[in-house]
Amino acid sequence: MAPTRLDEAAGLTVADVIHAKFSALPASATIGDVREWFAASSHRQMAFLADGERYTGSIFRDELGDDLDPAGPAAEIAVDGPTVAPDEPASRAEELALRTEARRVPVVDRDGRLVGTVAVTPDLQRFCGT
């Protein structure tokens, strides 16, 4: 399926535009673990932390300053939102994703499970991975 254009997403839900292939780091990850995860790909802009399937927070690449102890817990710098639910309008996910440099927002279901991400392409024309 071709990526969905933002201007063609009226009436779609987050579930229609979700990028379900993603990775999350364990909630117990260290700052060093997150740095290594970001270093593995220049495309990674936001790391998700999860306790099993339960979303515990997000970390943006640019939040990992050199002054942070690599052995320190990543959870201490993680933010717990915003998030979007699969049944919300795709336009809501677009709005939240575009509020950040990462152009991403984690998708968390009503039970707190991390089920994917919504990401907007660098040209701001499409949802990634849909």
Side-chain angles (χ1 to χ4, degrees):
M1 174 184 226
T4 303
R5 291 184 50 85
L6 298 180
D7 60 2
E8 295 175 350
L12 297 180
T13 66
V14 169
D16 296 320
V17 299
I18 194 171
H19 187 60
K21 288 187 80 174
F22 69 98
S23 59
L25 294 162
S28 61
T30 66
I31 297 291
D33 295 332
V34 177
R35 282 189 180 130
E36 287 178 22
W37 185 83
F38 279 127
S41 173
S42 63
H43 295 283
R44 294 177 174 170
Q45 299 300 314
M46 180 185 265
F48 303 127
L49 300 180
D51 183 4
E53 293 182 343
R54 183 163 300 282
Y55 173 77
T56 60
S58 299
I59 300 172
F60 296 94
R61 179 187 285 271
D62 60 1
E63 293 176 346
L64 292 175
D66 292 337
D67 58 328
L68 297 173
D69 178 2
E76 287 185 2
I77 65 164
V79 295
D80 62 358
T83 64
V84 66
D87 59 348
E88 290 187 69
S91 60
R92 177 69 177 147
E94 174 189 353
E95 172 192 333
L96 292 173
L98 292 177
R99 286 186 187 173
T100 71
E101 289 292 319
R103 292 183 309 277
R104 288 160 175 71
V105 63
V107 180
V108 178
D109 72 12
R110 301 292 180 200
D111 294 323
R113 290 182 306 217
L114 178 62
V115 296
T117 184
V118 170
V120 176
T121 57
D123 64 4
L124 307 180
Q125 298 298 307
R126 295 172 178 76
F127 290 105
C128 297
T130 60

